Amino acid sequence: KHALMTLVKQQADELDALKNLSLNLTSSLDPQTVLDAIVNEAMRLVKNARAAHIFLYVHGKLEFGASLTSAGVRNKPTAMPRKEGLTYAVANSKKQIIIEDMIRHPIYQGLDKNWVGSIIGVPLMFSNNIVGVMNLSRSTTGGFSRAELRLIGLLADQAAVAISNASLHKQMTEQANTDSVTGLPNRRALDERLQEDIRHAMRMGSNFSVVMMDLDGFKNVNDTYGHVVGDEILRSLFNYLAENVRPTDFLARYGGDELTLII
């Protein structure tokens, strides 16, 4: 009877944790907010947690995503993953790896002796693709309990979905704001930027200028050589201009052969 009560309580705790994960990881589509929420949750899942790190897997390479330490230090990577290290081993095998004692493990030989305790590396999988790796280290050695492993697994599943959704949203927003012919910001992006700059100018009491430009004789190019050549001219000329404006300026394709420059 006592064992059954313990099991029921454990399952209730897990359902509670799952509800929190779902709420916290789906409340935003901003990639960094999502990553920060994942490391927050990871640090709550195991006793003696020392640090949680997430690395994103992009085109076969691991990039830093987010981190949190027990001291509350956020997004300061201690070191980037080594090709022969734990994180790449997890990414390449797509399997969870547990190291019960870092000091004695070959992966950590010859490294900083601050690496003490145990660590788990978990692949973040979505639709059979790896989107990242989450590492969760503890100050104590030894294995992780079955309950901890289940919760870490739940978090990894939710995290992979949240990361994929945020990434897709960012991609679609960028596409919606980009002109397909020239790759420059489009009219929609220009409208957003103008609103932003007007608000900023009113708040700070500062000025900015808007310059409208068009290409003379462009219609003749299209009529004579066709739209493929016309598009190529727009692309090369507009991008030449974009590369030579200051980083603080904003150049957008207004439409056709027209450009708008915000200075």
PDB file of all heavy atoms in Angstrom, residues 39 42-44 46-53 67-73 78 99 101-103 108 112-120 135-141 144:
ATOM      1  N   VAL A  39      16.264  25.926 -19.830  1.00  0.00           N
ATOM      2  CA  VAL A  39      17.313  25.744 -18.809  1.00  0.00           C
ATOM      3  C   VAL A  39      16.772  26.033 -17.406  1.00  0.00           C
ATOM      4  O   VAL A  39      17.178  25.392 -16.438  1.00  0.00           O
ATOM      5  CB  VAL A  39      18.610  26.565 -19.099  1.00  0.00           C
ATOM      6  CG1 VAL A  39      19.372  25.974 -20.274  1.00  0.00           C
ATOM      7  CG2 VAL A  39      18.340  28.037 -19.323  1.00  0.00           C
ATOM      8  N   ALA A  42      15.056  22.839 -16.455  1.00  0.00           N
ATOM      9  CA  ALA A  42      16.045  21.763 -16.250  1.00  0.00           C
ATOM     10  C   ALA A  42      16.655  21.846 -14.859  1.00  0.00           C
ATOM     11  O   ALA A  42      16.825  20.829 -14.173  1.00  0.00           O
ATOM     12  CB  ALA A  42      17.132  21.841 -17.316  1.00  0.00           C
ATOM     13  N   MET A  43      16.972  23.061 -14.418  1.00  0.00           N
ATOM     14  CA  MET A  43      17.614  23.236 -13.114  1.00  0.00           C
ATOM     15  C   MET A  43      16.705  22.830 -11.952  1.00  0.00           C
ATOM     16  O   MET A  43      17.173  22.555 -10.862  1.00  0.00           O
ATOM     17  CB  MET A  43      18.066  24.686 -12.934  1.00  0.00           C
ATOM     18  CG  MET A  43      19.229  25.086 -13.814  1.00  0.00           C
ATOM     19  SD  MET A  43      20.724  24.124 -13.472  1.00  0.00           S
ATOM     20  CE  MET A  43      21.254  24.842 -11.927  1.00  0.00           C
ATOM     21  N   ARG A  44      15.380  22.786 -12.226  1.00  0.00           N
ATOM     22  CA  ARG A  44      14.440  22.423 -11.153  1.00  0.00           C
ATOM     23  C   ARG A  44      14.213  20.909 -11.064  1.00  0.00           C
ATOM     24  O   ARG A  44      13.586  20.442 -10.128  1.00  0.00           O
ATOM     25  CB  ARG A  44      13.089  23.099 -11.412  1.00  0.00           C
ATOM     26  CG  ARG A  44      13.130  24.608 -11.268  1.00  0.00           C
ATOM     27  CD  ARG A  44      11.841  25.112 -10.637  1.00  0.00           C
ATOM     28  NE  ARG A  44      10.723  24.992 -11.566  1.00  0.00           N
ATOM     29  CZ  ARG A  44      10.201  26.035 -12.207  1.00  0.00           C
ATOM     30  NH1 ARG A  44      10.697  27.235 -12.045  1.00  0.00           N
ATOM     31  NH2 ARG A  44       9.185  25.874 -13.007  1.00  0.00           N
ATOM     32  N   VAL A  46      16.373  18.137 -11.022  1.00  0.00           N
ATOM     33  CA  VAL A  46      17.205  17.185 -10.269  1.00  0.00           C
ATOM     34  C   VAL A  46      17.807  17.847  -9.033  1.00  0.00           C
ATOM     35  O   VAL A  46      18.025  19.059  -9.005  1.00  0.00           O
ATOM     36  CB  VAL A  46      18.352  16.590 -11.142  1.00  0.00           C
ATOM     37  CG1 VAL A  46      17.814  15.881 -12.366  1.00  0.00           C
ATOM     38  CG2 VAL A  46      19.348  17.645 -11.550  1.00  0.00           C
ATOM     39  N   LYS A  47      18.073  17.004  -8.039  1.00  0.00           N
ATOM     40  CA  LYS A  47      18.708  17.516  -6.817  1.00  0.00           C
ATOM     41  C   LYS A  47      20.167  17.837  -7.113  1.00  0.00           C
ATOM     42  O   LYS A  47      20.813  17.166  -7.921  1.00  0.00           O
ATOM     43  CB  LYS A  47      18.662  16.424  -5.736  1.00  0.00           C
ATOM     44  CG  LYS A  47      17.316  16.307  -5.055  1.00  0.00           C
ATOM     45  CD  LYS A  47      17.464  15.467  -3.777  1.00  0.00           C
ATOM     46  CE  LYS A  47      16.119  15.204  -3.132  1.00  0.00           C
ATOM     47  NZ  LYS A  47      15.678  13.818  -3.285  1.00  0.00           N
ATOM     48  N   ASN A  48      20.704  18.844  -6.425  1.00  0.00           N
ATOM     49  CA  ASN A  48      22.115  19.246  -6.551  1.00  0.00           C
ATOM     50  C   ASN A  48      22.507  19.651  -7.974  1.00  0.00           C
ATOM     51  O   ASN A  48      23.662  19.495  -8.373  1.00  0.00           O
ATOM     52  CB  ASN A  48      23.055  18.116  -6.085  1.00  0.00           C
ATOM     53  CG  ASN A  48      22.747  17.676  -4.663  1.00  0.00           C
ATOM     54  OD1 ASN A  48      22.673  18.492  -3.756  1.00  0.00           O
ATOM     55  ND2 ASN A  48      22.532  16.381  -4.482  1.00  0.00           N
ATOM     56  N   ALA A  49      21.525  20.146  -8.748  1.00  0.00           N
ATOM     57  CA  ALA A  49      21.840  20.592 -10.117  1.00  0.00           C
ATOM     58  C   ALA A  49      22.868  21.714 -10.050  1.00  0.00           C
ATOM     59  O   ALA A  49      22.748  22.616  -9.224  1.00  0.00           O
ATOM     60  CB  ALA A  49      20.569  21.075 -10.799  1.00  0.00           C
ATOM     61  N   ARG A  50      23.893  21.629 -10.913  1.00  0.00           N
ATOM     62  CA  ARG A  50      24.928  22.659 -10.894  1.00  0.00           C
ATOM     63  C   ARG A  50      24.805  23.605 -12.079  1.00  0.00           C
ATOM     64  O   ARG A  50      24.955  24.810 -11.951  1.00  0.00           O
ATOM     65  CB  ARG A  50      26.317  22.015 -10.890  1.00  0.00           C
ATOM     66  CG  ARG A  50      27.415  23.055 -10.640  1.00  0.00           C
ATOM     67  CD  ARG A  50      28.792  22.454 -10.573  1.00  0.00           C
ATOM     68  NE  ARG A  50      29.101  21.772 -11.801  1.00  0.00           N
ATOM     69  CZ  ARG A  50      30.042  20.834 -11.910  1.00  0.00           C
ATOM     70  NH1 ARG A  50      30.723  20.457 -10.855  1.00  0.00           N
ATOM     71  NH2 ARG A  50      30.285  20.270 -13.052  1.00  0.00           N
ATOM     72  N   ALA A  51      24.540  23.035 -13.258  1.00  0.00           N
ATOM     73  CA  ALA A  51      24.393  23.890 -14.444  1.00  0.00           C
ATOM     74  C   ALA A  51      23.631  23.143 -15.535  1.00  0.00           C
ATOM     75  O   ALA A  51      23.727  21.925 -15.654  1.00  0.00           O
ATOM     76  CB  ALA A  51      25.756  24.317 -14.974  1.00  0.00           C
ATOM     77  N   ALA A  52      22.873  23.903 -16.300  1.00  0.00           N
ATOM     78  CA  ALA A  52      22.187  23.349 -17.478  1.00  0.00           C
ATOM     79  C   ALA A  52      22.666  24.134 -18.698  1.00  0.00           C
ATOM     80  O   ALA A  52      22.777  25.361 -18.636  1.00  0.00           O
ATOM     81  CB  ALA A  52      20.676  23.476 -17.317  1.00  0.00           C
ATOM     82  N   HIS A  53      22.989  23.410 -19.757  1.00  0.00           N
ATOM     83  CA  HIS A  53      23.426  24.039 -21.007  1.00  0.00           C
ATOM     84  C   HIS A  53      22.602  23.482 -22.167  1.00  0.00           C
ATOM     85  O   HIS A  53      22.311  22.290 -22.183  1.00  0.00           O
ATOM     86  CB  HIS A  53      24.904  23.732 -21.305  1.00  0.00           C
ATOM     87  CG  HIS A  53      25.858  24.484 -20.454  1.00  0.00           C
ATOM     88  ND1 HIS A  53      26.126  24.134 -19.155  1.00  0.00           N
ATOM     89  CD2 HIS A  53      26.626  25.582 -20.719  1.00  0.00           C
ATOM     90  CE1 HIS A  53      27.014  24.971 -18.642  1.00  0.00           C
ATOM     91  NE2 HIS A  53      27.328  25.859 -19.575  1.00  0.00           N
ATOM     92  N   SER A  67      22.337  28.890 -21.127  1.00  0.00           N
ATOM     93  CA  SER A  67      22.862  28.172 -19.958  1.00  0.00           C
ATOM     94  C   SER A  67      22.393  28.867 -18.689  1.00  0.00           C
ATOM     95  O   SER A  67      22.038  30.044 -18.707  1.00  0.00           O
ATOM     96  CB  SER A  67      24.396  28.125 -19.985  1.00  0.00           C
ATOM     97  OG  SER A  67      24.922  29.424 -19.786  1.00  0.00           O
ATOM     98  N   LEU A  68      22.394  28.098 -17.603  1.00  0.00           N
ATOM     99  CA  LEU A  68      22.036  28.642 -16.299  1.00  0.00           C
ATOM    100  C   LEU A  68      22.773  27.837 -15.239  1.00  0.00           C
ATOM    101  O   LEU A  68      22.828  26.605 -15.328  1.00  0.00           O
ATOM    102  CB  LEU A  68      20.515  28.530 -16.083  1.00  0.00           C
ATOM    103  CG  LEU A  68      19.958  29.058 -14.765  1.00  0.00           C
ATOM    104  CD1 LEU A  68      20.216  30.558 -14.613  1.00  0.00           C
ATOM    105  CD2 LEU A  68      18.461  28.776 -14.668  1.00  0.00           C
ATOM    106  N   THR A  69      23.382  28.519 -14.275  1.00  0.00           N
ATOM    107  CA  THR A  69      24.089  27.813 -13.203  1.00  0.00           C
ATOM    108  C   THR A  69      23.290  27.919 -11.908  1.00  0.00           C
ATOM    109  O   THR A  69      22.385  28.743 -11.789  1.00  0.00           O
ATOM    110  CB  THR A  69      25.497  28.416 -12.959  1.00  0.00           C
ATOM    111  OG1 THR A  69      25.314  29.698 -12.334  1.00  0.00           O
ATOM    112  CG2 THR A  69      26.282  28.578 -14.245  1.00  0.00           C
ATOM    113  N   SER A  70      23.674  27.099 -10.924  1.00  0.00           N
ATOM    114  CA  SER A  70      22.972  27.111  -9.634  1.00  0.00           C
ATOM    115  C   SER A  70      23.154  28.467  -8.931  1.00  0.00           C
ATOM    116  O   SER A  70      22.349  28.863  -8.105  1.00  0.00           O
ATOM    117  CB  SER A  70      23.477  25.977  -8.744  1.00  0.00           C
ATOM    118  OG  SER A  70      24.884  26.061  -8.622  1.00  0.00           O
ATOM    119  N   ALA A  71      24.219  29.202  -9.309  1.00  0.00           N
ATOM    120  CA  ALA A  71      24.448  30.534  -8.720  1.00  0.00           C
ATOM    121  C   ALA A  71      23.618  31.607  -9.432  1.00  0.00           C
ATOM    122  O   ALA A  71      23.674  32.787  -9.086  1.00  0.00           O
ATOM    123  CB  ALA A  71      25.929  30.884  -8.793  1.00  0.00           C
ATOM    124  N   GLY A  72      22.862  31.189 -10.462  1.00  0.00           N
ATOM    125  CA  GLY A  72      21.996  32.137 -11.175  1.00  0.00           C
ATOM    126  C   GLY A  72      22.668  32.834 -12.346  1.00  0.00           C
ATOM    127  O   GLY A  72      22.101  33.750 -12.932  1.00  0.00           O
ATOM    128  N   VAL A  73      23.904  32.412 -12.700  1.00  0.00           N
ATOM    129  CA  VAL A  73      24.595  33.029 -13.849  1.00  0.00           C
ATOM    130  C   VAL A  73      23.968  32.477 -15.132  1.00  0.00           C
ATOM    131  O   VAL A  73      23.901  31.265 -15.331  1.00  0.00           O
ATOM    132  CB  VAL A  73      26.109  32.727 -13.828  1.00  0.00           C
ATOM    133  CG1 VAL A  73      26.787  33.344 -15.046  1.00  0.00           C
ATOM    134  CG2 VAL A  73      26.739  33.256 -12.546  1.00  0.00           C
ATOM    135  N   THR A  78      30.733  28.112 -20.494  1.00  0.00           N
ATOM    136  CA  THR A  78      32.065  27.887 -19.909  1.00  0.00           C
ATOM    137  C   THR A  78      33.055  27.517 -21.006  1.00  0.00           C
ATOM    138  O   THR A  78      34.188  27.960 -21.004  1.00  0.00           O
ATOM    139  CB  THR A  78      32.013  26.770 -18.842  1.00  0.00           C
ATOM    140  OG1 THR A  78      31.154  25.736 -19.322  1.00  0.00           O
ATOM    141  CG2 THR A  78      31.447  27.294 -17.529  1.00  0.00           C
ATOM    142  N   ILE A  99      27.224  10.344 -17.470  1.00  0.00           N
ATOM    143  CA  ILE A  99      28.565  10.152 -16.905  1.00  0.00           C
ATOM    144  C   ILE A  99      28.435  10.335 -15.396  1.00  0.00           C
ATOM    145  O   ILE A  99      28.137  11.427 -14.926  1.00  0.00           O
ATOM    146  CB  ILE A  99      29.574  11.147 -17.528  1.00  0.00           C
ATOM    147  CG1 ILE A  99      29.760  10.810 -19.007  1.00  0.00           C
ATOM    148  CG2 ILE A  99      30.907  11.115 -16.788  1.00  0.00           C
ATOM    149  CD1 ILE A  99      30.639  11.759 -19.777  1.00  0.00           C
ATOM    150  N   ASP A 101      30.665   9.961 -12.956  1.00  0.00           N
ATOM    151  CA  ASP A 101      31.773  10.609 -12.241  1.00  0.00           C
ATOM    152  C   ASP A 101      32.722  11.214 -13.267  1.00  0.00           C
ATOM    153  O   ASP A 101      33.506  10.508 -13.903  1.00  0.00           O
ATOM    154  CB  ASP A 101      32.507   9.587 -11.359  1.00  0.00           C
ATOM    155  CG  ASP A 101      33.548  10.251 -10.467  1.00  0.00           C
ATOM    156  OD1 ASP A 101      33.782  11.464 -10.636  1.00  0.00           O
ATOM    157  OD2 ASP A 101      34.129   9.562  -9.608  1.00  0.00           O
ATOM    158  N   MET A 102      32.631  12.533 -13.433  1.00  0.00           N
ATOM    159  CA  MET A 102      33.398  13.209 -14.491  1.00  0.00           C
ATOM    160  C   MET A 102      34.907  13.069 -14.301  1.00  0.00           C
ATOM    161  O   MET A 102      35.643  12.930 -15.265  1.00  0.00           O
ATOM    162  CB  MET A 102      32.992  14.676 -14.565  1.00  0.00           C
ATOM    163  CG  MET A 102      31.633  14.877 -15.176  1.00  0.00           C
ATOM    164  SD  MET A 102      31.329  16.610 -15.563  1.00  0.00           S
ATOM    165  CE  MET A 102      30.417  17.098 -14.144  1.00  0.00           C
ATOM    166  N   ILE A 103      35.355  13.118 -13.038  1.00  0.00           N
ATOM    167  CA  ILE A 103      36.807  13.058 -12.775  1.00  0.00           C
ATOM    168  C   ILE A 103      37.416  11.769 -13.315  1.00  0.00           C
ATOM    169  O   ILE A 103      38.538  11.753 -13.821  1.00  0.00           O
ATOM    170  CB  ILE A 103      37.085  13.214 -11.252  1.00  0.00           C
ATOM    171  CG1 ILE A 103      36.970  14.689 -10.887  1.00  0.00           C
ATOM    172  CG2 ILE A 103      38.461  12.690 -10.878  1.00  0.00           C
ATOM    173  CD1 ILE A 103      37.232  15.010  -9.441  1.00  0.00           C
ATOM    174  N   TYR A 108      36.678  13.491 -19.924  1.00  0.00           N
ATOM    175  CA  TYR A 108      37.091  14.697 -19.195  1.00  0.00           C
ATOM    176  C   TYR A 108      38.551  14.652 -18.743  1.00  0.00           C
ATOM    177  O   TYR A 108      38.982  15.522 -17.985  1.00  0.00           O
ATOM    178  CB  TYR A 108      36.161  14.922 -17.991  1.00  0.00           C
ATOM    179  CG  TYR A 108      34.766  15.312 -18.434  1.00  0.00           C
ATOM    180  CD1 TYR A 108      33.745  14.363 -18.501  1.00  0.00           C
ATOM    181  CD2 TYR A 108      34.479  16.617 -18.819  1.00  0.00           C
ATOM    182  CE1 TYR A 108      32.478  14.717 -18.930  1.00  0.00           C
ATOM    183  CE2 TYR A 108      33.216  16.978 -19.244  1.00  0.00           C
ATOM    184  CZ  TYR A 108      32.220  16.025 -19.308  1.00  0.00           C
ATOM    185  OH  TYR A 108      30.966  16.377 -19.746  1.00  0.00           O
ATOM    186  N   ASP A 112      39.976  20.852 -17.016  1.00  0.00           N
ATOM    187  CA  ASP A 112      39.856  21.591 -15.761  1.00  0.00           C
ATOM    188  C   ASP A 112      39.318  20.687 -14.642  1.00  0.00           C
ATOM    189  O   ASP A 112      38.296  20.028 -14.797  1.00  0.00           O
ATOM    190  CB  ASP A 112      38.858  22.734 -16.016  1.00  0.00           C
ATOM    191  CG  ASP A 112      38.806  23.713 -14.868  1.00  0.00           C
ATOM    192  OD1 ASP A 112      39.216  23.325 -13.773  1.00  0.00           O
ATOM    193  OD2 ASP A 112      38.354  24.847 -15.087  1.00  0.00           O
ATOM    194  N   LYS A 113      40.003  20.670 -13.522  1.00  0.00           N
ATOM    195  CA  LYS A 113      39.603  19.802 -12.405  1.00  0.00           C
ATOM    196  C   LYS A 113      38.333  20.295 -11.699  1.00  0.00           C
ATOM    197  O   LYS A 113      37.831  19.669 -10.779  1.00  0.00           O
ATOM    198  CB  LYS A 113      40.747  19.677 -11.370  1.00  0.00           C
ATOM    199  CG  LYS A 113      41.882  18.795 -11.858  1.00  0.00           C
ATOM    200  CD  LYS A 113      41.378  17.369 -12.148  1.00  0.00           C
ATOM    201  CE  LYS A 113      42.435  16.531 -12.835  1.00  0.00           C
ATOM    202  NZ  LYS A 113      41.900  15.554 -13.781  1.00  0.00           N
ATOM    203  N   ASN A 114      37.793  21.451 -12.144  1.00  0.00           N
ATOM    204  CA  ASN A 114      36.513  21.915 -11.592  1.00  0.00           C
ATOM    205  C   ASN A 114      35.368  21.025 -12.062  1.00  0.00           C
ATOM    206  O   ASN A 114      34.273  21.078 -11.533  1.00  0.00           O
ATOM    207  CB  ASN A 114      36.213  23.362 -12.035  1.00  0.00           C
ATOM    208  CG  ASN A 114      37.112  24.338 -11.297  1.00  0.00           C
ATOM    209  OD1 ASN A 114      37.600  24.035 -10.221  1.00  0.00           O
ATOM    210  ND2 ASN A 114      37.344  25.497 -11.897  1.00  0.00           N
ATOM    211  N   TRP A 115      35.660  20.245 -13.113  1.00  0.00           N
ATOM    212  CA  TRP A 115      34.630  19.353 -13.627  1.00  0.00           C
ATOM    213  C   TRP A 115      34.487  18.162 -12.686  1.00  0.00           C
ATOM    214  O   TRP A 115      35.040  17.099 -12.912  1.00  0.00           O
ATOM    215  CB  TRP A 115      34.980  18.892 -15.038  1.00  0.00           C
ATOM    216  CG  TRP A 115      34.795  19.981 -16.045  1.00  0.00           C
ATOM    217  CD1 TRP A 115      35.744  20.872 -16.456  1.00  0.00           C
ATOM    218  CD2 TRP A 115      33.600  20.325 -16.738  1.00  0.00           C
ATOM    219  NE1 TRP A 115      35.198  21.753 -17.370  1.00  0.00           N
ATOM    220  CE2 TRP A 115      33.881  21.429 -17.563  1.00  0.00           C
ATOM    221  CE3 TRP A 115      32.295  19.801 -16.756  1.00  0.00           C
ATOM    222  CZ2 TRP A 115      32.935  22.026 -18.378  1.00  0.00           C
ATOM    223  CZ3 TRP A 115      31.352  20.397 -17.566  1.00  0.00           C
ATOM    224  CH2 TRP A 115      31.672  21.499 -18.366  1.00  0.00           C
ATOM    225  N   VAL A 116      33.747  18.366 -11.624  1.00  0.00           N
ATOM    226  CA  VAL A 116      33.504  17.268 -10.680  1.00  0.00           C
ATOM    227  C   VAL A 116      32.009  16.993 -10.629  1.00  0.00           C
ATOM    228  O   VAL A 116      31.202  17.851 -10.964  1.00  0.00           O
ATOM    229  CB  VAL A 116      34.013  17.608  -9.245  1.00  0.00           C
ATOM    230  CG1 VAL A 116      35.514  17.729  -9.227  1.00  0.00           C
ATOM    231  CG2 VAL A 116      33.368  18.889  -8.727  1.00  0.00           C
ATOM    232  N   GLY A 117      31.659  15.771 -10.197  1.00  0.00           N
ATOM    233  CA  GLY A 117      30.253  15.400 -10.097  1.00  0.00           C
ATOM    234  C   GLY A 117      29.821  14.577 -11.291  1.00  0.00           C
ATOM    235  O   GLY A 117      30.630  13.912 -11.935  1.00  0.00           O
ATOM    236  N   SER A 118      28.525  14.624 -11.592  1.00  0.00           N
ATOM    237  CA  SER A 118      27.981  13.809 -12.681  1.00  0.00           C
ATOM    238  C   SER A 118      27.286  14.709 -13.691  1.00  0.00           C
ATOM    239  O   SER A 118      26.991  15.866 -13.413  1.00  0.00           O
ATOM    240  CB  SER A 118      26.983  12.797 -12.102  1.00  0.00           C
ATOM    241  OG  SER A 118      26.059  13.462 -11.261  1.00  0.00           O
ATOM    242  N   ILE A 119      27.027  14.139 -14.866  1.00  0.00           N
ATOM    243  CA  ILE A 119      26.397  14.932 -15.933  1.00  0.00           C
ATOM    244  C   ILE A 119      25.590  14.007 -16.840  1.00  0.00           C
ATOM    245  O   ILE A 119      25.946  12.848 -17.032  1.00  0.00           O
ATOM    246  CB  ILE A 119      27.472  15.713 -16.737  1.00  0.00           C
ATOM    247  CG1 ILE A 119      26.839  16.716 -17.700  1.00  0.00           C
ATOM    248  CG2 ILE A 119      28.423  14.776 -17.486  1.00  0.00           C
ATOM    249  CD1 ILE A 119      27.815  17.737 -18.284  1.00  0.00           C
ATOM    250  N   ILE A 120      24.489  14.551 -17.362  1.00  0.00           N
ATOM    251  CA  ILE A 120      23.702  13.811 -18.354  1.00  0.00           C
ATOM    252  C   ILE A 120      23.596  14.674 -19.605  1.00  0.00           C
ATOM    253  O   ILE A 120      23.365  15.883 -19.520  1.00  0.00           O
ATOM    254  CB  ILE A 120      22.305  13.423 -17.798  1.00  0.00           C
ATOM    255  CG1 ILE A 120      21.513  12.634 -18.838  1.00  0.00           C
ATOM    256  CG2 ILE A 120      21.510  14.643 -17.332  1.00  0.00           C
ATOM    257  CD1 ILE A 120      20.227  12.002 -18.301  1.00  0.00           C
ATOM    258  N   ASN A 135      22.613  19.524 -21.731  1.00  0.00           N
ATOM    259  CA  ASN A 135      23.468  18.928 -20.700  1.00  0.00           C
ATOM    260  C   ASN A 135      23.027  19.431 -19.339  1.00  0.00           C
ATOM    261  O   ASN A 135      22.799  20.626 -19.164  1.00  0.00           O
ATOM    262  CB  ASN A 135      24.940  19.325 -20.907  1.00  0.00           C
ATOM    263  CG  ASN A 135      25.500  18.786 -22.210  1.00  0.00           C
ATOM    264  OD1 ASN A 135      25.043  17.767 -22.696  1.00  0.00           O
ATOM    265  ND2 ASN A 135      26.464  19.483 -22.784  1.00  0.00           N
ATOM    266  N   LEU A 136      22.938  18.506 -18.387  1.00  0.00           N
ATOM    267  CA  LEU A 136      22.544  18.877 -17.031  1.00  0.00           C
ATOM    268  C   LEU A 136      23.559  18.256 -16.069  1.00  0.00           C
ATOM    269  O   LEU A 136      23.686  17.035 -15.998  1.00  0.00           O
ATOM    270  CB  LEU A 136      21.137  18.351 -16.752  1.00  0.00           C
ATOM    271  CG  LEU A 136      20.452  18.720 -15.437  1.00  0.00           C
ATOM    272  CD1 LEU A 136      20.482  20.216 -15.190  1.00  0.00           C
ATOM    273  CD2 LEU A 136      19.014  18.219 -15.429  1.00  0.00           C
ATOM    274  N   SER A 137      24.328  19.117 -15.390  1.00  0.00           N
ATOM    275  CA  SER A 137      25.370  18.597 -14.500  1.00  0.00           C
ATOM    276  C   SER A 137      24.976  18.778 -13.041  1.00  0.00           C
ATOM    277  O   SER A 137      24.204  19.671 -12.706  1.00  0.00           O
ATOM    278  CB  SER A 137      26.710  19.297 -14.781  1.00  0.00           C
ATOM    279  OG  SER A 137      26.605  20.670 -14.494  1.00  0.00           O
ATOM    280  N   ARG A 138      25.542  17.889 -12.188  1.00  0.00           N
ATOM    281  CA  ARG A 138      25.286  17.981 -10.742  1.00  0.00           C
ATOM    282  C   ARG A 138      26.615  18.017 -10.006  1.00  0.00           C
ATOM    283  O   ARG A 138      27.634  17.546 -10.518  1.00  0.00           O
ATOM    284  CB  ARG A 138      24.527  16.736 -10.257  1.00  0.00           C
ATOM    285  CG  ARG A 138      23.132  16.627 -10.776  1.00  0.00           C
ATOM    286  CD  ARG A 138      22.449  15.404 -10.211  1.00  0.00           C
ATOM    287  NE  ARG A 138      23.271  14.212 -10.390  1.00  0.00           N
ATOM    288  CZ  ARG A 138      22.881  12.982 -10.089  1.00  0.00           C
ATOM    289  NH1 ARG A 138      21.693  12.777  -9.565  1.00  0.00           N
ATOM    290  NH2 ARG A 138      23.680  11.959 -10.274  1.00  0.00           N
ATOM    291  N   SER A 139      26.560  18.536  -8.796  1.00  0.00           N
ATOM    292  CA  SER A 139      27.788  18.600  -7.983  1.00  0.00           C
ATOM    293  C   SER A 139      28.087  17.248  -7.338  1.00  0.00           C
ATOM    294  O   SER A 139      29.165  17.021  -6.824  1.00  0.00           O
ATOM    295  CB  SER A 139      27.647  19.684  -6.913  1.00  0.00           C
ATOM    296  OG  SER A 139      26.420  19.525  -6.234  1.00  0.00           O
ATOM    297  N   THR A 140      27.105  16.321  -7.370  1.00  0.00           N
ATOM    298  CA  THR A 140      27.303  14.993  -6.759  1.00  0.00           C
ATOM    299  C   THR A 140      27.548  13.941  -7.826  1.00  0.00           C
ATOM    300  O   THR A 140      27.122  14.102  -8.970  1.00  0.00           O
ATOM    301  CB  THR A 140      26.047  14.589  -5.957  1.00  0.00           C
ATOM    302  OG1 THR A 140      24.901  14.749  -6.812  1.00  0.00           O
ATOM    303  CG2 THR A 140      25.871  15.455  -4.725  1.00  0.00           C
ATOM    304  N   THR A 141      28.229  12.867  -7.451  1.00  0.00           N
ATOM    305  CA  THR A 141      28.477  11.772  -8.408  1.00  0.00           C
ATOM    306  C   THR A 141      27.355  10.742  -8.295  1.00  0.00           C
ATOM    307  O   THR A 141      26.540  10.793  -7.379  1.00  0.00           O
ATOM    308  CB  THR A 141      29.826  11.087  -8.121  1.00  0.00           C
ATOM    309  OG1 THR A 141      29.811  10.629  -6.768  1.00  0.00           O
ATOM    310  CG2 THR A 141      30.984  12.022  -8.329  1.00  0.00           C
ATOM    311  N   PHE A 144      21.341   8.860 -12.095  1.00  0.00           N
ATOM    312  CA  PHE A 144      20.117   9.651 -11.913  1.00  0.00           C
ATOM    313  C   PHE A 144      18.972   8.684 -11.606  1.00  0.00           C
ATOM    314  O   PHE A 144      18.940   7.579 -12.143  1.00  0.00           O
ATOM    315  CB  PHE A 144      19.803  10.447 -13.187  1.00  0.00           C
ATOM    316  CG  PHE A 144      20.781  11.558 -13.454  1.00  0.00           C
ATOM    317  CD1 PHE A 144      22.050  11.287 -13.977  1.00  0.00           C
ATOM    318  CD2 PHE A 144      20.453  12.888 -13.202  1.00  0.00           C
ATOM    319  CE1 PHE A 144      22.952  12.308 -14.225  1.00  0.00           C
ATOM    320  CE2 PHE A 144      21.356  13.912 -13.444  1.00  0.00           C
ATOM    321  CZ  PHE A 144      22.607  13.630 -13.955  1.00  0.00           C
TER     322      PHE A 144
END
